[in-house]
Amino acid sequence: MRFVGVSGQTGMVKNLPPVGRTFTHLLVNTAVAGLTTSFLWFALTFWAYLETRSVLATGVIGGAYMLFVSASSIVFGSVVDHHRKITVMRLSSVTTLVLFVVAAVFYHRVPGAALTDLQQPWFWMLAVLILIGSVVEHMRNIALSTCVTILVPEAERARANGLVGTAQGITFLATSVLSGLAIGYLGMGWTMVVACAAVGIGLVHLLTIRMPQEPEPAAAGSDDQGRVAIRGSIALIAASAGLFALIFFSTFNNFIGGVYMALMDPYGLEMFDVTVWGLVLGATSLGFIVGGGLVARFGLGPRPVRTMLLCVVAMGALGAVFTIREWAWLFVVGIFLYMCLIPAIEAAEQTIIQRVVPLERQGRVFGFAMAVETAAAPLTAFLIAPIAARWIIPFARSESGQLAIEPLVGAGTPVSRGIALVFLGAGLIMVVVGLLALVSPAYRALSTTYAAAVPPPTAELGQPVTPTAGEVVATASAAAALTLSPPPPPDGAGSAADVAGVPPPGAPRDGHVPQDP
């Protein structure tokens, strides 16, 4: 992928001009931050199951994580809109570092037997400290999505979002491998020390990054400064026909994700040793990289909503069959293909929002979307974990249960066959809902909204955009294009502010385009 520089010239990633370098540094730093928080969160989940052998504990941990993400996302979005994105990222890193250090000290001060006793509060206190430290990192993800709007022309955003998916895939690959190896060979104590050190190193790198393309936040002149403004964000979403449907469509992915969150690790740890399971997750997460790379290379097509829903249907089909027999190869291939689909679904949503929502509101809309979508996962996780532990798995252990489910999910251990039965049902529901969405009026309305929100011409490779002198730029797409490739003003044509399209004093601030100092 190429980015257009301020001079209108192009270059590959190794020779990126200033805007491209800024985006690359932010992308890499956010990926490392995600790796570190996911590393410790995965490690906590592995450690909790191995120490307690409790499916309920892992389900509650996973569900609580998504519940915290959901509850905090709208607030995070407001913070992103009203502050410079680089400042938000630094705040997130500092908060995560402090909480992880406190968790590490807590772990080393509480005796091991008391810490793994689920009847006492110490295990849950440790989980909450790590949970909050990991959840705060999601504020960086919202900030990065708005940075794509600021730094990347509209025509290139689907591919840029694909690069974000690729980076997440690399993060998940490394996280899965390292978490399993860390718990297997180092134990939870040293794993926490490594996580704290990695967060500290990432913070030092983040302090060296500058983002002159955003001297002030786009919402700086709005009258809702400092407020969460949920009502305003909902009104903005409602004003775009089908945008609520987009958020609802995206929750399909998290509906089945909540089932996996609660039961995937127990299933994998029943089949593999913890170190092998970590390697399996790492290998299959190559699907993230493959899927993100395909989106970065080819984009999402002219109808990203349709692309997203077809991926949802395929994801449901995979979820129904990849554990239908207790075969390791089927399980591994199914996870890989599932991972390939995730970047396309996420990139589709981001691309649509980046086109139809003004920049000054994007943080809150992304936050609202994250809140609604992630709420689906903890609901299903909290619901399915106790059902599986108290009814489905015991049923699979009984003689009558084995005879009943064997035609559907084959023979095997009671735990794995019970979980496979849950996966089969969840996947089939996902397929049906996705197919119904493809023929719904909401789908047609959203497709029309996206097609109607045609952005102004953006910078083609090597061809700078030439705005009219004094023109007010009212969309995020135009702002990105002008920021990336502002043309030099002709002799006597007026000030640089006029050429860049900055409104005169007293004009509305919606079209304000920040200039590099």
Side-chain angles (χ1 to χ4, degrees), residues 136-200:
V136 170
E137 189 268 336
H138 282 273
M139 187 157 52
R140 293 172 58 104
N141 296 332
I142 298 174
L144 183 62
S145 294
T146 61
C147 285
V148 171
T149 305
I150 295 170
L151 300 175
V152 181
E154 197 277 338
E156 298 292 329
R157 285 184 199 148
R159 296 180 180 181
N161 291 325
L163 288 179
V164 173
T166 300
Q168 291 173 342
I170 296 172
T171 296
F172 191 83
L173 185 155
T175 295
S176 305
V177 174
L178 295 176
S179 296
L181 294 176
I183 293 299
Y185 293 107
L186 298 179
M188 188 63 182
W190 279 107
T191 297
M192 297 180 73
V193 172
V194 170
C196 292
V199 174

Side-chain angles (χ1 to χ4, degrees), residues 315-336:
M315 186 175 288
L318 285 170
V321 303
F322 82 131
T323 57
I324 204 166
R325 292 293 182 269
E326 196 170 309
W327 298 337
W329 70 266
L330 179 63
F331 184 49
V332 172
V333 171
I335 297 175
F336 172 80

Side-chain angles (χ1 to χ4, degrees), residues 242-379:
L243 201 54
F244 267 122
L246 169 67
I247 296 172
F248 180 68
F249 291 159
S250 298
T251 61
F252 294 170
N253 180 34
N254 289 318
F255 172 79
I256 199 168
V259 177
Y260 291 153
M261 179 191 307
L263 302 177
M264 181 70 78
D265 284 326
Y267 189 97
L269 292 170
E270 286 290 328
M271 183 174 287
F272 304 106
D273 176 76
V274 62
T275 54
V276 176
W277 175 232
L279 292 172
V280 167
L281 285 176
T284 54
S285 64
L286 286 170
F288 262 127
I289 302 173
V290 172
L294 290 173
V295 175
R297 175 65 180 84
F298 300 107
L300 297 164
R303 293 185 289 175
V305 185
R306 181 173 180 270
T307 300
M308 180 180 70
L309 288 177
L310 289 175
C311 288
V312 167
V313 172
M315 186 175 288
L318 285 170
V321 303
F322 82 131
T323 57
I324 204 166
R325 292 293 182 269
E326 196 170 309
W327 298 337
W329 70 266
L330 179 63
F331 184 49
V332 172
V333 171
I335 297 175
F336 172 80
L337 294 176
Y338 179 90
M339 298 294 186
C340 287
L341 296 171
I342 293 176
I345 294 173
E346 295 183 348
E349 179 186 17
Q350 292 170 3
T351 301
I352 295 166
I353 291 177
Q354 286 160 354
R355 173 182 281 198
V356 304
V357 176
L359 175 60
E360 65 271 14
R361 282 279 183 179
Q362 283 186 15
R364 278 162 285 184
V365 172
F366 276 121
F368 182 85
M370 183 181 291
V372 174
E373 294 159 19
T374 54
L379 288 176

Side-chain angles (χ1 to χ4, degrees), residues 394-406:
F395 175 71
R397 286 197 180 100
S398 67
E399 184 177 351
S400 61
Q402 291 176 14
L403 292 174
I405 68 175
E406 187 170 342

Side-chain angles (χ1 to χ4, degrees), residues 8 12 23 32 75 90 92 144 154 184 236-237 239 313 316 384 387 414 429 462:
M12 298 306 291
F23 175 73
V32 171
V75 176
R90 290 168 180 166
S92 171
L144 183 62
E154 197 277 338
L236 180 64
I237 295 171
V313 172
I384 205 62
I387 291 175
I429 292 173

Side-chain angles (χ1 to χ4, degrees), residues 467-471 482 486-490 492-503 513-516:
T468 303
E471 177 186 5
L482 292 175
S495 67
D498 291 333
V499 176
V502 178
V513 181
Q515 298 297 305
D516 291 359

Side-chain angles (χ1 to χ4, degrees), residues 37-57:
T37 54
S38 298
F39 165 74
L40 189 54
W41 188 250
F42 271 55
L44 174 67
T45 304
F46 294 166
W47 174 76
Y49 184 76
L50 292 173
E51 292 293 329
T52 66
R53 292 290 171 178
S54 171
V55 173
L56 183 61

